[in-house]
Each structure stands twice: as C-alpha cells, then as structure tokens.
Amino acid sequence: MIAITELNRIMASGFLPLSCDCSLNSDGSLRITVFEPSSGRVDLLLTRVSPQGLDSVRSIANLIGELRTEIKAGRRGFAAMG
C-alpha cells in the first residue's frame, strides 16, 4: 500500500466536490469516509477495507470508481470490503 497521506490525497481528489478521509485502523485495515463538507452528511462509510492491492494510482482510481458506484446506488456503509 502507498503512504496514507498519498492515499488520502488521491482519494480526496477522486471524490470532489465531496470530501474523503482515509485512516488506518489498528488492525491495518482502512476506514474510508466520504462526506459532504459543508453539512457533514456522510455519503459512504467503510470501516474495514483491506489495503491489499492499493499500491498504485490505477488501483486506487479503480477503488474510487467502485465506491462512486456504491454511492450512486444509494448504499451508505459496509463493515468490510476487499
């Protein structure tokens, strides 16, 4: 996996105008929150995403595409993914 700061930067740019925050859980999984910045409304919350395979801009872009599809489908959260 690439550095969490770089992951955050790429993810944030991929969800504009929404905001995205990625953080590492104690078990090494990722917590990803996509939200509307002015209201704080959470559009998607993933609490345990495997970072395996997130080692390039292309793989992260693919994840962003998948998550955008989930948001459009009206899904708001998952316990695990990947």
Side-chain angles (χ1 to χ4, degrees):
M1 184 181 97
I2 66 171
I4 191 72
T5 54
E6 183 67 6
L7 176 67
N8 258 317
R9 187 189 67 74
I10 297 166
M11 295 287 283
S13 67
F15 283 102
L16 291 172
L18 297 173
S19 292
C20 181
D21 180 62
C22 301
S23 58
L24 279 173
N25 294 315
S26 60
D27 65 358
S29 65
L30 296 169
R31 177 185 174 97
I32 301 173
T33 308
V34 179
F35 59 97
E36 207 288 316
S38 61
S39 70
R41 179 195 74 233
V42 174
D43 287 357
L44 188 70
L45 172 63
L46 301 149
T47 58
R48 302 245 181 253
V49 177
S50 171
Q52 188 173 358
L54 296 178
D55 52 4
S56 69
V57 172
R58 178 176 293 251
S59 63
I60 295 167
N62 289 340
L63 175 62
I64 291 168
E66 290 173 23
L67 298 182
R68 284 183 158 277
T69 299
E70 296 299 326
I71 290 170
K72 285 180 185 172
R75 296 183 181 100
R76 295 210 177 262
F78 303 92
M81 184 173 180

